[in-house]
Amino acid sequence: MKASELRDRSTEALERELLERRKEQFNLRMQKASGQLSRTDQLGKVRKNIARIKTVLNERKRAERQA
């Protein structure tokens, strides 16, 4: 998921996507703790996707404050 793709989505869609990614992150952490996680790189990818979504949301909030 690229930041340019995220910027094309609505704020509501981004918030839903953020919630889904956080749920996915939680599930991956639980799998890791129980020793069931086979692809450990997934944790990093999900974490970066969460950061990208939050960055786009914060950019929009700043733009609204300045307008």
Side-chain angles (χ1 to χ4, degrees):
M1 176 179 338
K2 293 184 178 184
S4 59
E5 295 171 4
L6 293 173
R7 287 186 180 97
D8 294 336
R9 297 184 186 184
S10 68
T11 303
E12 294 82 20
L14 286 174
E15 289 171 352
R16 283 193 305 269
E17 183 74 23
L18 180 61
L19 183 62
E20 288 297 317
R21 293 304 129 230
R22 286 188 170 160
K23 287 179 183 178
E24 183 180 0
Q25 183 184 36
F26 175 78
N27 290 332
L28 288 172
R29 283 196 325 248
M30 292 301 110
Q31 288 178 13
K32 182 179 179 185
S34 65
Q36 296 177 352
L37 184 62
S38 59
R39 295 190 58 207
T40 56
D41 64 312
Q42 290 292 88
L43 278 169
K45 289 179 183 179
V46 171
R47 195 177 86 219
K48 287 182 181 184
N49 282 334
I50 289 171
R52 284 186 189 106
I53 294 168
K54 289 176 77 173
T55 298
V56 172
L57 287 172
N58 282 329
E59 286 174 352
R60 289 184 183 178
K61 287 179 184 176
R62 284 185 183 172
E64 288 176 4
R65 287 184 205 149
Q66 291 178 354

